[in-house]
Amino acid sequence: MNTRPFETEVRQLLDIVIHAFYSDREVFIRELASNGSDALEKLRLKQLTENSIYQPELELRLNISCDEENKTLSISDSGLGMTEEEIVEYLGTIAHSGTKKYLELIKESQGSSSSQDLIGQFGVGFYSVFMVADEVEVTTRSWQPEAKPVKWISDGKEGYSLGPAPEDTPRGTSILIKLKEDADLFAKPDHVRHIVKQYSNFIGFPIDFEGEQLNTVQALWLKNKKEVSAEQYNAFYQFVGHTESDPLGHMHFSAEAPISLSSLLFIPKENPEAMGFGRTEQKVSLYCHKVLIDSKPEGLLPEWLRFLVGVVDSEDLPLNISREMLQDNSLLRKISGIITKRFIKTLEDMAKNNSEQYGEFYTQYNRYIKEGVVTSWEHKEQLGKLLRFESSFTEAGKLTSFADYISRMKENQNDIYVLYGNKRAQLENSPYIDALKARGFEVAFFIESGDQFVIDSLMRMEEKNIKAIDRSDLDLPELDTPDNDRPGLDADAATALSSWMSESFKDQFEKVSPGDRAMTAPAMAMQGANDVSPDVKAYLQAMGQSVPETHPEIAINPHHPIVMKLEQLRQSDEALAKLLAGQIVNTALLRAGLLDDPAQLAENSQALLEQLLADK
Ligand code: ADP
């Protein structure tokens, strides 16, 4: 036997596992049984694609036994086993980038109660055995006929020793656990039987325990919905999701045509990406009539559904399909289409019948729905209906939908109006709102980063165009009570002043025109109809790409005292009028977030002040 140290990260993980207080240490049995089951599933698939397999006649089973006297527990499988290289790689390093990230999070939250939550949320696989073990001995023989059997022994501290196992070691993996003093409960047959029964019904292979088969192999997803209890769904979710929480919701359905399909998918309560983990991996396994084809099939579901956990089973898939073939398989695309459609329907029903549950879902997963809007042309409109937002008509914190917005639209309102920003208060006080408010029109608020991309790609809802109210191309109906009686420039004067301003700032603006878009400020700056938004501009700049020239427009408010004064001043002191006008338009740009160069405003304001003070 030779001794090797664990990778640093493994040592850290083990340290956490051993010292953490687990509410349920028994989860290690679930982890080991599920590893065994995975190994059996993989072997079954190998049998379809490989010609020579060591001991092909071996039955595919798990075997569990315990020895109360010697305080040991053993779990073995006749699965695909591991070669020496494999065991060194799998049980000495941390391959999953997700696990590394998980480790960092735990370290950051060390000592706080959330570190306990984190540990419970995400299983740590094989290493969980060291919660209960003084020493673990893994004996394994690979399915590859020429591979030598190996033995791996570790106390879960610094490292492990590795050496040859007896020649008569059968194919598969056997794990012998020497239990810690305080974990001798796991050597008691009644206790072990009880735990194994809890998890084992989802394992697709017989589990023998002391001569008795503990499980009736059943695939929950193939059962009739009516025959499955809430407890069974939860237990299955905990099994496939390696978690101790209950799911937020699930979808269970079967279809016969056009494809024979059964699926059981869960929405986890917590979204790991929102907790700081990187992009999560696909966690829906693909089966062909109970035989696992691929535990992470690429392309089974669209990317935006990567938060789902569960199983898809289709009898129509060829059993011996390879991963490469899967990827460009038209059947897979059809399956993907059917499931996506059904899942959207599930969300629609949830939103309709259980708004509290949908609210919880939306808080955790709205980014995925938005990602779907942007990336999935086919489901764009349907996903748009699932979006929720605050608006100028809702109370703070209360969400509404486009359907509700549309039901509240005024008779003379043609478009849906939206405004982007960082928070509600900022949007409520935006000068853009005034013109809409004056007409009794509702404005939808979008305050998450990236929302603008989402709404830009949505473009329309129920045949109605979505218009951002900070742009120039709004087609607003006349006000019911025009401002004719209020003091202000008459139409000719307003047009003359606008033309003069257009000319004075022709390099900066597409045009300057009078109107009622600005109601409280002297002027308002708007993005040109075809301009890229400030968000997109910032993004392009950050990516080092060239930014298309923008053409903002200015609406002046002929009723504003400053504008009225400006028109007079233009006649008497054009130079000063120009500085004042510069101040008005640059302030409007600043307010609109469209001022590219703050120096422009500073210089203008300094020149203006100098002029004003010149004669004093
Ligand atoms: P995970 O199961 O999440 O990959 P584990 O730490 O539980 O993480 O296991 C690491 C790897 O060790 C597995 O991916 C698998 O390749 C290998 N392994 C673990 N248990 C067995 C087993 N019983 N038979 C064959 N390989 C195994």
Side-chain angles (χ1 to χ4, degrees):
M1 300 286 275
N2 64 50
T3 321
R4 304 181 187 207
F6 284 124
E7 193 188 45
T8 318
E9 274 104 350
V10 176
R11 276 210 300 273
Q12 290 168 342
L13 183 64
L14 283 167
D15 193 52
I16 291 165
V17 168
I18 291 167
H19 292 109
F21 164 79
Y22 268 80
S23 49
D24 282 319
R25 291 199 294 180
E26 67 188 41
V27 296
F28 80 94
I29 296 188
R30 178 189 71 198
E31 296 295 330
L32 296 186
S34 122
N35 279 348
S37 159
D38 289 349
L40 289 162
E41 303 255 25
K42 287 178 194 160
L43 196 272
R44 186 153 61 178
L45 201 59
K46 282 267 181 279
Q47 285 175 330
L48 299 167
T49 51
E50 301 288 338
N51 290 329
S52 76
I53 286 184
Y54 187 69
Q55 294 181 325
E57 72 290 351
L58 268 192
E59 254 191 275
L60 301 186
R61 312 178 80 85
L62 281 164
N63 196 304
I64 300 183
S65 61
C66 56
D67 180 340
E68 217 173 339
E69 209 167 302
N70 293 311
K71 299 200 178 59
T72 62
L73 174 69
S74 139
I75 300 184
S76 42
D77 63 75
S78 50
L80 92 172
M82 286 175 273
T83 62
E84 185 172 333
E85 293 75 43
E86 283 167 344
I87 202 166
V88 167
E89 187 188 334
Y90 298 148
L91 303 187
T93 62
I94 295 182
H96 289 294
S97 57
T99 314
K100 286 195 178 162
K101 186 84 197 170
Y102 160 78
L103 208 65
E104 282 164 28
L105 277 181
I106 292 193
K107 267 192 269 169
E108 278 166 26
S109 65
Q110 199 97 70
S112 72
S113 61
S114 68
S115 99
Q116 296 300 336
D117 291 348
L118 278 172
I119 294 171
Q121 286 290 329
F122 304 95
V124 287
F126 172 80
Y127 300 111
S128 62
V129 71
F130 288 105
M131 293 187 293
V132 297
D134 271 335
E135 188 180 277
V136 177
E137 198 178 296
V138 181
T139 311
T140 181
R141 175 174 212 135
S142 165
W143 64 276
Q144 299 170 63
E146 67 287 359
K148 292 260 172 268
V150 280
K151 197 183 272 279
W152 178 105
I153 302 176
S154 175
D155 59 3
K157 294 193 176 90
E158 297 303 318
Y160 57 92
S161 45
L162 197 66
E167 233 352 276
D168 62 357
T169 301
R171 185 196 69 222
T173 302
S174 172
I175 298 170
L176 178 68
I177 304 157
K178 297 189 177 143
L179 294 160
K180 284 183 184 175
E181 200 69 39
D182 68 355
D184 57 355
L185 195 62
F186 298 105
K188 293 194 191 316
D190 285 347
H191 189 64
V192 174
R193 185 181 293 110
H194 172 77
I195 298 170
V196 175
K197 277 197 149 163
Q198 214 177 318
Y199 302 122
S200 60
N201 274 343
F202 309 117
I203 289 182
F205 300 91
I207 300 181
D208 294 328
F209 180 73
E210 323 246 290
E212 171 193 5
Q213 184 176 323
L214 283 191
N215 60 337
T216 46
V217 177
Q218 58 170 343
L220 202 65
W221 60 91
L222 295 181
K223 290 194 134 192
N224 187 320
K225 263 198 253 203
K226 296 195 188 85
E227 290 164 16
V228 186
S229 68
E231 288 73 31
Q232 280 176 307
Y233 279 127
N234 288 349
F236 182 65
Y237 168 68
Q238 292 175 351
F239 178 75
V240 288
H242 294 259
T243 174
E244 288 171 53
S245 335
D246 291 339
L248 193 149
H250 73 264
M251 169 178 98
H252 184 182
F253 87 97
S254 299
E256 284 308 324
I259 292 171
S260 146
L261 192 67
S262 293
S263 171
L264 177 50
L265 300 175
F266 296 92
I267 308 169
K269 211 169 245 163
E270 309 282 346
N271 166 15
E273 284 185 25
M275 292 171 81
F277 285 79
R279 207 175 168 80
T280 49
E281 280 182 349
Q282 171 77 271
K283 284 182 292 293
V284 175
S285 309
L286 183 63
Y287 284 75
C288 170
H289 200 66
K290 296 200 244 178
V291 178
L292 180 69
I293 307 246
D294 195 338
S295 61
K296 293 172 190 156
E298 263 176 58
L300 173 61
L301 294 181
E303 274 286 301
W304 66 271
L305 283 177
R306 65 187 175 279
F307 57 92
L308 290 174
V309 173
V311 171
V312 171
D313 191 324
S314 172
E315 280 182 53
D316 294 343
L317 282 168
L319 249 181
N320 57 355
I321 192 164
S322 71
R323 287 195 97 177
E324 294 68 35
M325 274 166 69
L326 258 182
Q327 279 174 32
D328 48 36
N329 185 280
S330 65
L331 196 62
L332 204 65
R333 276 196 296 278
K334 276 191 203 137
I335 294 177
S336 170
I338 295 171
I339 292 177
T340 307
K341 217 162 109 190
R342 284 300 289 247
F343 185 69
I344 294 176
K345 169 93 175 44
T346 303
L347 290 180
E348 285 168 355
D349 291 346
M350 193 198 286
K352 198 158 69 192
N353 304 325
N354 190 344
S355 57
E356 196 181 319
Q357 188 188 20
Y358 187 71
E360 211 182 315
F361 166 79
Y362 197 76
T363 310
Q364 287 287 334
Y365 296 103
N366 69 78
R367 290 189 151 272
Y368 297 81
I369 301 292
K370 290 172 179 173
E371 191 180 317
V373 170
V374 175
T375 55
S376 151
W377 180 256
E378 212 184 327
H379 303 292
K380 197 185 289 289
E381 169 113 18
Q382 258 183 306
L383 289 172
K385 289 185 185 159
L386 290 169
L387 294 177
R388 296 291 181 268
F389 47 85
E390 292 188 36
S391 85
S392 57
F393 280 17
T394 66
E395 285 169 41
K398 289 261 178 323
L399 300 179
T400 187
S401 64
F402 279 118
D404 288 342
Y405 178 105
I406 290 168
S407 73
R408 288 188 292 260
M409 276 171 72
K410 292 268 173 314
E411 224 163 83
N412 60 344
Q413 179 181 354
N414 297 320
D415 299 325
I416 296 171
Y417 297 112
V418 299
L419 188 57
Y420 308 102
N422 298 323
K423 43 179 187 285
R424 182 186 171 103
Q426 172 208 356
L427 299 185
E428 274 178 333
N429 295 321
S430 156
Y432 296 115
I433 294 259
D434 297 341
L436 284 295
K437 227 189 232 165
R439 290 167 174 81
F441 294 172
E442 181 173 2
V443 178
F445 295 153
F446 284 93
I447 51 180
E448 305 278 340
S449 73
D451 276 351
Q452 194 157 348
F453 284 107
V454 178
I455 303 302
D456 278 354
S457 51
L458 195 58
M459 285 189 308
R460 297 163 70 76
M461 275 311 287
E462 297 184 23
E463 314 275 294
K464 306 216 178 306
N465 288 321
I466 304 178
K467 292 276 175 89
I469 62 168
D470 54 2
R471 302 187 86 94
S472 62
D473 59 341
L474 283 198
D475 192 11
L476 292 174
E478 288 291 320
L479 275 175
D480 293 342
T481 47
D483 276 333
N484 291 342
D485 302 339
R486 267 211 298 158
L489 300 178
D490 62 28
D492 289 346
T495 311
L497 176 66
S498 302
S499 312
W500 172 77
M501 285 174 76
S502 278
E503 187 53 31
S504 308
F505 302 104
K506 63 170 181 286
D507 297 340
Q508 239 182 310
F509 301 110
E510 182 71 13
K511 70 173 185 232
V512 178
S513 47
D516 63 6
R517 291 285 297 277
M519 302 192 79
T520 49
M524 199 159 80
M526 299 163 296
Q527 297 172 45
N530 300 312
D531 284 357
V532 293
S533 65
D535 271 4
V536 176
K537 208 165 166 175
Y539 173 78
L540 290 174
Q541 272 160 348
M543 303 299 284
Q545 295 187 25
S546 66
V547 180
E549 215 176 289
T550 51
H551 305 278
E553 293 183 23
I554 295 282
I556 57 167
N557 175 358
H559 299 282
H560 200 283
I562 297 180
V563 174
M564 288 156 64
K565 267 269 162 19
L566 177 65
E567 173 59 4
Q568 280 175 17
L569 191 63
R570 186 167 73 87
Q571 324 287 345
S572 57
D573 183 348
E574 192 171 354
L576 182 61
K578 203 162 168 192
L579 286 174
L580 180 61
Q583 196 66 12
I584 292 172
V585 296
N586 280 316
T587 308
L589 285 176
L590 177 73
R591 186 125 199 224
L594 298 173
L595 186 69
D596 287 332
D597 180 11
Q600 203 173 306
L601 177 63
E603 278 161 22
N604 192 84
S605 109
Q606 192 174 331
L608 177 66
L609 293 175
E610 275 166 9
Q611 277 273 326
L612 290 176
L613 297 173
D615 311 329
K616 304 281 173 240

